[in-house]
Amino acid sequence: MEDKAQIQEAIKAQGEVVRKLKSEKASKDQIDEEVAKLLQLKAQIGGDDGKHQFVLKTAKGTRDYNPKQMAIRERVFSTITGCFKRHGAETIDTPVFELKETLTGKYGEDSKLIYDLKDQGGELLSLRYDLTVPFARYLAMNKITNIKRYHIAKVYRRDNPAMTRGRYREFYQCDFDIAGQYDAMIPDAECLKIVHEILSELDLGDFRIKVNDRRILDGMFAVCGVPDDKFRTICSTVDKLDKMSWEDVRKEMVNEKGLSEEAADQIGEYVSLQGGMELAERLLQDQKMSLSKQACAGLSDIKLLFSYLQLFQATDKVVFDLSLARGLDYYTGIIYEAVLTQACVSTASTDAQNGAEESVSVGSVAGGGRYDGLVGMFDPKGRKVPCVGVSIGIERIFSIMEQKAEASAEKVRTTEVQVMVVSAQKNLLEERLKLVSELWNAGIKAELMYKKNPKLLSQLQHCEESGIPLVAILGEQELKDGVVKLRVVASREEMDISRAALIEEIRRRTSEA
């Protein structure tokens, strides 16, 4: 009884927490979380009828997608897949979980976001964090030295989700990678061209693709006086420049990471620079940067990259940005990130720094780079397979597409039905079933109502509401004459078509649409 009294006290206290959050108009996620705790406490002593009570909600950082949302989503996937295939990629799939040791140590400070699973049958497993490390493991395991592949699948991150900005704990990644020993910057330029094509085709608004090189960053850190053992940790701090001001980033470097103020100020001078091929040429002549061999190698490759991007007609959106760091440990060369900038279109005169800050509200929608050492980490003999790739952030893109569809009040079709088979009189169910079967067998997308004697008006209304373009109407007279009355829903035009010519006529009309 004492335990029950304690639980009832806890229920009372938790009830107060929920009420307080509601009165303060806290976020739905926060309220749902506290309500879930309250219901768990109530379940311990049972409800009025002694049954277990639980809250109906999706897990934190996840969501359901309704048919309208899925229709928009599939359109986005189709555009991305079409682009990957146009560039000659084949596809693979890997397990949703990997051995924990496969993922450990590949993501730098982000490793804390990996979802570990409970020991099941003697193996320590983790949910995949991205599609790149599993790809590298796949190449090493199967001794593959060159492949151009795409992979679209879910990944998992124990992140603090900001779902309104398209950040989730479970989300899709759309990856394109080129593995193999090739001449410098040709595959890298193609990856950037792919990002350019996809973002242009999806028509999301203005965008910018920021480019840098890990060797330039490491060279910059060296000439600015960053100790070797602090390169990666300082790099992950620089990577926060798209979310934090330079003052806050500098503070973190000096106060938390122990970097000297002089070194931090020198880094500050470089990370404010943006440009194109001319900036790479200028930095090659820079008194400090020219002292670093690896920085010079990276700058020469940036110049080469821009010359190829000019031939690909993609330089209009690409900018060489020394503040881009991308925190993942496995990058070895070129790195890039695409950011939507429509948030600052209305303030075109805003300077570059403010523009970068405004674009944060939209966030990065694609990122990638070169990771020449990752496959070698898995190969027993350490054999390296050079790789470069890009990942499209589908969730953020989808959030924007969804908002655009709602704002335009666009009618989104959730099925692809081309024709509805209807009857004008009673007792024609068998004839409708026969005709719809003929259409299905011919590969036509068709449906009928699951009623013996539906009203003609309700059948036609369903077509208008669902956006079905054609109606095949059967009546006793049509059956006698061996015809079907074909109705165009949009214009309400009707014509008699012979049963033998019906399939061809439907194909012709739906292909025109």
Side-chain angles (χ1 to χ4, degrees):
M1 284 305 287
E2 201 176 311
D3 283 351
K4 196 168 182 180
Q6 284 175 339
I7 293 168
Q8 280 170 334
E9 279 301 311
I11 288 169
K12 201 173 170 183
Q14 188 61 23
E16 283 301 318
V17 171
V18 172
R19 276 189 288 278
K20 190 166 183 283
L21 286 173
K22 284 180 177 175
S23 68
E24 290 170 354
K25 292 190 168 55
S27 73
K28 185 179 180 298
D29 280 355
Q30 210 178 343
I31 293 168
D32 284 350
E33 206 171 314
E34 296 305 328
V35 167
K37 287 179 191 172
L38 177 62
L39 289 172
Q40 277 170 353
L41 286 167
K42 285 183 176 179
Q44 286 178 39
I45 57 170
D48 295 339
D49 54 3
K51 285 182 183 172
H52 175 72
Q53 294 183 347
F54 65 95
V55 63
L56 275 173
K57 67 185 279 287
T58 56
K60 188 177 176 183
T62 65
R63 65 175 287 193
D64 294 322
Y65 293 89
N66 65 37
K68 184 179 172 182
Q69 291 163 336
M70 284 305 295
I72 297 169
R73 200 178 177 83
E74 284 182 350
R75 202 187 303 164
V76 175
F77 278 137
S78 173
T79 300
I80 293 170
T81 306
C83 180
F84 290 164
K85 287 181 175 178
R86 186 162 64 240
H87 285 263
E90 49 199 349
T91 190
I92 67 163
D93 195 14
T94 61
V96 74
F97 45 79
E98 296 274 350
L99 293 177
K100 185 179 177 178
E101 61 186 314
T102 301
L103 305 182
T104 304
K106 312 298 188 302
Y107 302 107
E109 291 188 5
D110 283 349
S111 286
K112 62 182 181 288
L113 302 180
I114 293 171
Y115 263 114
D116 292 332
L117 302 177
K118 280 188 176 177
D119 177 18
Q120 300 285 345
E123 287 186 329
L124 289 175
L125 305 170
S126 299
L127 291 175
R128 62 184 170 206
Y129 178 88
D130 67 3
L131 300 177
T132 309
V133 170
F135 174 55
R137 189 263 309 147
Y138 171 84
L139 294 183
M141 210 170 116
N142 294 285
K143 298 183 171 53
I144 295 167
T145 53
N146 65 328
I147 187 174
K148 189 192 290 187
R149 82 87 172 87
Y150 74 92
H151 188 185
I152 297 177
K154 283 183 175 179
V155 298
Y156 299 85
R157 296 189 183 177
R158 205 162 46 80
D159 206 347
N160 217 3
M163 288 167 70
T164 49
R165 287 182 51 209
R167 283 181 73 92
Y168 299 90
R169 288 179 159 188
E170 175 196 64
F171 56 95
Y172 271 99
Q173 278 191 342
C174 305
D175 280 20
F176 174 97
D177 293 82
I178 300 170
Q181 194 76 51
Y182 302 110
D183 287 337
M185 292 299 109
I186 304 171
D188 310 64
E190 185 170 11
C191 286
L192 288 169
K193 172 67 172 168
I194 282 168
V195 177
H196 191 287
E197 281 180 22
I198 288 170
L199 294 182
S200 301
E201 205 174 326
L202 289 172
D203 193 24
L204 300 167
D206 201 21
F207 63 91
R208 188 171 69 235
I209 304 169
K210 298 188 280 188
V211 177
N212 200 0
D213 193 298
R214 264 291 165 85
R215 292 165 298 171
I216 297 171
L217 279 167
D218 286 351
M220 174 182 78
F221 292 150
V223 299
C224 289
V226 177
D228 287 3
D229 62 342
K230 286 197 191 305
F231 275 19
R232 283 292 164 259
T233 186
I234 295 300
C235 188
S236 69
T237 303
V238 169
D239 192 40
K240 295 174 185 175
L241 271 169
D242 62 339
K243 302 178 189 77
M244 288 160 54
S245 66
W246 165 249
E247 287 72 26
D248 290 337
V249 165
R250 183 186 183 278
K251 209 178 286 178
E252 186 177 306
M253 284 181 183
V254 176
N255 298 350
E256 292 177 34
K257 304 284 173 83
L259 190 65
S260 71
E261 290 194 5
E262 189 190 352
D265 290 335
Q266 286 183 45
I267 289 170
E269 285 173 30
Y270 285 114
V271 295
S272 63
L273 300 174
Q274 290 185 354
M277 196 189 286
E278 76 295 334
L279 176 59
E281 284 167 349
R282 199 168 88 225
L283 287 169
L284 279 166
Q285 309 303 318
D286 184 88
Q287 203 175 352
K288 275 193 213 149
M289 286 291 244
S290 58
L291 297 173
S292 166
K293 270 188 183 175
Q294 63 178 154
C296 290
L299 289 163
S300 299
D301 274 352
I302 288 278
K303 274 181 65 182
L304 188 58
L305 177 76
F306 270 89
S307 70
Y308 293 149
L309 289 172
Q310 277 174 345
L311 298 169
F312 281 156
Q313 299 177 325
T315 48
D316 59 323
K317 303 290 185 188
V318 183
V319 60
F320 174 28
D321 184 337
L322 270 87
S323 72
L324 178 67
R326 288 196 67 76
L328 299 176
D329 269 11
Y330 52 61
Y331 289 124
T332 56
I334 201 95
I335 49 175
Y336 34 84
E337 190 164 277
V339 180
L340 293 184
T341 58
Q342 81 262 42
C344 35
V345 168
S346 57
T347 52
S349 61
T350 316
D351 64 27
Q353 190 185 355
N354 286 347
E357 283 175 10
E358 281 199 53
S359 68
V360 172
S361 64
V362 180
S364 156
V365 289
R370 179 159 284 283
Y371 52 101
D372 289 347
L374 192 56
V375 180
M377 285 186 183
F378 296 113
D379 191 282
K381 293 182 180 172
R383 285 171 295 217
K384 290 188 176 183
V385 178
C387 296
V388 64
V390 65
S391 184
I392 309 294
I394 189 77
E395 305 301 341
R396 283 187 176 169
I397 288 173
F398 173 64
S399 292
I400 294 152
M401 297 284 279
E402 200 180 352
Q403 283 162 17
K404 277 180 75 173
E406 277 176 25
S408 68
E410 172 196 356
K411 193 167 169 63
V412 178
R413 277 200 72 189
T414 56
T415 75
E416 295 181 10
V417 175
Q418 297 163 296
V419 60
M420 175 100 175
V421 176
V422 313
S423 54
Q425 285 121 357
K426 290 184 176 180
N427 304 321
L428 291 176
L429 174 63
E430 287 80 1
E431 294 299 334
R432 281 192 293 136
L433 293 173
K434 271 189 222 167
L435 181 55
V436 81
S437 183
E438 280 174 36
L439 297 175
W440 289 336
N441 291 344
I444 299 225
K445 294 163 186 165
E447 71 170 354
L448 78 167
M449 273 200 172
Y450 304 131
K451 276 187 169 184
K452 280 188 177 178
N453 298 309
K455 289 177 181 162
L456 181 60
L457 186 62
S458 60
Q459 294 173 92
L460 296 177
Q461 274 175 339
H462 173 72
C463 294
E464 291 197 4
E465 285 162 11
S466 307
I468 299 170
L470 298 172
V471 187
I473 305 171
L474 287 172
E476 286 166 10
Q477 192 58 49
E478 283 81 9
L479 289 167
K480 276 181 197 165
D481 297 343
V483 298
V484 173
K485 196 178 287 296
L486 197 63
R487 179 186 171 101
V488 180
V489 174
S491 64
R492 301 190 177 180
E493 169 199 359
E494 291 183 351
M495 69 233 60
D496 286 345
I497 308 290
S498 76
R499 192 77 170 242
L502 179 66
I503 285 163
E504 210 42 60
E505 183 65 19
I506 291 170
R507 281 192 185 132
R508 186 181 72 76
R509 286 181 175 274
T510 48
S511 66
E512 281 173 7

